[in-house]
């Protein structure tokens, strides 16, 4: 086994079961569409969007629990109308999904990052924030951590969102569908920038998102195991037992620690610009998980 990651890297070196981290695109992923819009530049992978097509890739395997990360440098300059996404998703109408969507901007405007969580095919859980750095100038790490207790979205290891398991309150939680890992860039100028008021300026094309360091440290589910329906076998296979211990089941991984909680509070106080939980126009009745979530 190679060195394993943890939620914030505090627990490196634990002798626990996991999938060896990898930074090789070809080992983990394959192009999903628009192969001619992929550019390989040394250790870098670039996805290109022009007025003919965007591009996307997906993982070769599906996973249950663990942590997935990419390093990404977003489209520079006027990227209005474009969306670059990094997400996990299962299949079928009752799918689960965890989304990072990076919404393009007009030159000089801040990039927005929208996150969303789908459970059993139901989404509408958008949160949006402005980042505390320019994501077009350097690579930054975007991660999704997932276990049976929580889903955590992280930017450079700072938690920006937590979706907690509230099954004891009768609220469904995504924990029985294996998920693939995906990324793509596409034109979404009907909604992405200022609600669709700012359109894509194709004179600035091609728009290029640049990737490196693809890491998956998660429980791989065998090919042929259904990911479109609830599968207790997946959860059992990827949960700790007497004969195997997974790092994501460690007690320290069950909730944020004090430092992480303070980081999340700082992000919410200083950078959040939209939270579905407070949108009374869309949700006259507060969504159930918003009532119970501490974050």
């Amino acid at each position: 086994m190679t060195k394993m990651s943890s939620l914030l890297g505090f627990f490196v070196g634990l002798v626990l079961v996991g999938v060896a981290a990898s930074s090789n695109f070809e080992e983990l992923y394959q192009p999903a569409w628009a192969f001619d819009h992929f550019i390989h530049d040394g250790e870098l992978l670039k996805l290109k969007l022009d007025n003919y097509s965007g591009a996307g890739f997906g993982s070769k395997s599906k996973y249950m629990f663990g942590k997935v990360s990419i390093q990404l440098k977003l489209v520079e300059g006027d990227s209005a109308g474009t969306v670059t996404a990094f997400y996990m998703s299962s299949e079928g109408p009752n799918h689960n999904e965890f989304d990072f969507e990076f919404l393009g901007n007009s030159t000089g405007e801040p990039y927005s990052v929208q996150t969303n969580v789908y459970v059993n095919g139901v989404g509408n859980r958008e949160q949006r924030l402005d980042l505390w750095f320019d994501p077009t100038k350097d690579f930054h790490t975007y991660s999704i951590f997932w276990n049976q207790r929580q889903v955590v979205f992280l930017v450079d290891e700072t938690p920006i969102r937590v979706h907690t398991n509230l099954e004891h309150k009768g609220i469904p939680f995504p924990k029985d569908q294996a998920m693939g890992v995906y990324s793509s860039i596409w034109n979404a100028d009907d909604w992405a920038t200022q609600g669709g008021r700012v359109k894509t300026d194709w004179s600035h094309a091609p728009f290029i998102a640049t990737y490196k360091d693809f890491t998956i440290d998660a429980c791989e589910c065998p090919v042929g195991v259904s990911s479109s329906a609830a599968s207790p076998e997946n959860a059992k296979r990827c949960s700790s037992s007497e004969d195997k211990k997974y790092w994501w089941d460690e007690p320290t991984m069950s909730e944020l620690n004090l430092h992480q909680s303070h980081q999340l509070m700082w992000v919410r106080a200083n950078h959040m610009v939209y939270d579905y939980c407070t949108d009374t126009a869309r949700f006259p009745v507060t969504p159930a998980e918003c009532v119970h979530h501490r974050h």
Side-chain angles (χ1 to χ4, degrees), residues 44 69 73 148 155 181 202 209 215 241 249 259 284 286:
L44 305 180
S69 300
K73 184 162 65 173
Q148 296 188 71
V155 175
V181 189
W202 294 109
T215 306
S241 62
D249 286 333
H259 175 65
T286 303

Side-chain angles (χ1 to χ4, degrees), residues 26-101:
E26 286 77 15
E27 285 182 30
L28 298 174
Y29 293 98
Q30 57 194 6
W33 47 286
F35 293 14
D36 60 345
H37 282 55
F38 283 70
I39 303 167
H40 292 273
D41 180 9
E43 68 170 358
L44 305 180
L45 172 68
K46 300 179 179 182
L47 296 192
K48 179 173 69 173
L49 167 67
D50 55 29
N51 54 356
Y52 296 102
S53 179
F57 60 83
S59 60
K60 295 179 179 180
S61 298
K62 289 183 168 58
Y63 302 90
M64 281 281 294
F65 311 135
K67 184 180 180 183
V68 300
S69 300
I70 55 165
Q71 288 194 27
L72 174 62
K73 184 162 65 173
L74 293 170
V75 176
E76 293 191 61
D78 183 356
S79 56
T82 71
V83 173
T84 305
F86 172 56
Y87 61 103
M88 298 183 71
S89 182
S90 58
E91 299 171 356
N94 297 317
H95 75 292
N96 298 329
E97 186 174 329
F98 313 138
D99 295 336
F100 273 107
E101 292 177 319

Side-chain angles (χ1 to χ4, degrees), residues 12 30 47 54 81 116 142 201 210 225 228 247 276 280 291:
V12 171
Q30 57 194 6
L47 296 192
N116 202 353
Y142 304 93
D201 183 347
T210 307
V225 173
S228 60
W247 66 266
Y276 78 106
T280 55
V291 175

Side-chain angles (χ1 to χ4, degrees), residues 214-236:
F214 305 84
T215 306
I216 297 178
D217 188 358
C219 181
E220 185 174 353
C221 291
V223 175
V225 173
S226 172
S227 61
S228 60
S231 175
E233 292 79 14
N234 283 339
K236 184 177 180 181

Side-chain angles (χ1 to χ4, degrees), residues 115 133 239 248:
T115 58
F133 52 82
S239 300
W248 51 82

Side-chain angles (χ1 to χ4, degrees), residues 43-225:
E43 68 170 358
L44 305 180
L45 172 68
K46 300 179 179 182
L47 296 192
K48 179 173 69 173
L49 167 67
D50 55 29
N51 54 356
Y52 296 102
S53 179
F57 60 83
S59 60
K60 295 179 179 180
S61 298
K62 289 183 168 58
Y63 302 90
M64 281 281 294
F65 311 135
K67 184 180 180 183
V68 300
S69 300
I70 55 165
Q71 288 194 27
L72 174 62
K73 184 162 65 173
L74 293 170
V75 176
E76 293 191 61
D78 183 356
S79 56
T82 71
V83 173
T84 305
F86 172 56
Y87 61 103
M88 298 183 71
S89 182
S90 58
E91 299 171 356
N94 297 317
H95 75 292
N96 298 329
E97 186 174 329
F98 313 138
D99 295 336
F100 273 107
E101 292 177 319
F102 304 95
L103 311 183
N105 60 19
S106 302
T107 303
E109 296 295 321
Y111 246 90
S112 292
V113 177
Q114 179 167 286
T115 58
N116 202 353
V117 176
Y118 285 75
V119 185
N120 297 334
V122 179
N124 299 321
R125 296 181 175 91
E126 298 90 348
Q127 292 183 356
R128 192 175 297 183
L129 55 92
D130 294 330
L131 292 167
W132 50 95
F133 52 82
D134 185 342
T136 71
K137 298 303 182 187
D138 294 296
F139 287 94
H140 293 270
T141 302
Y142 304 93
S143 307
I144 300 168
F145 170 79
W146 174 34
N147 65 11
Q148 296 188 71
R149 299 291 298 275
Q150 59 180 355
V151 180
V152 185
F153 295 80
L154 304 112
V155 175
D156 291 334
E157 302 300 342
T158 295
I160 64 166
R161 179 174 187 169
V162 176
H163 186 81
T164 306
N165 187 334
L166 295 171
E167 287 180 308
H168 63 288
K169 300 288 187 180
I171 299 168
F173 182 79
K175 67 172 191 179
D176 57 10
Q177 297 183 38
M179 304 173 83
V181 189
Y182 306 92
S183 188
S184 57
I185 183 171
W186 78 93
N187 178 42
D189 66 3
D190 56 332
W191 65 272
T193 306
Q194 296 182 28
R197 291 188 294 275
V198 181
K199 301 300 182 182
T200 303
D201 183 347
W202 294 109
S203 70
H204 294 153
F207 303 100
I208 293 177
T210 307
Y211 300 77
K212 67 176 183 177
D213 290 348
F214 305 84
T215 306
I216 297 178
D217 188 358
C219 181
E220 185 174 353
C221 291
V223 175
V225 173

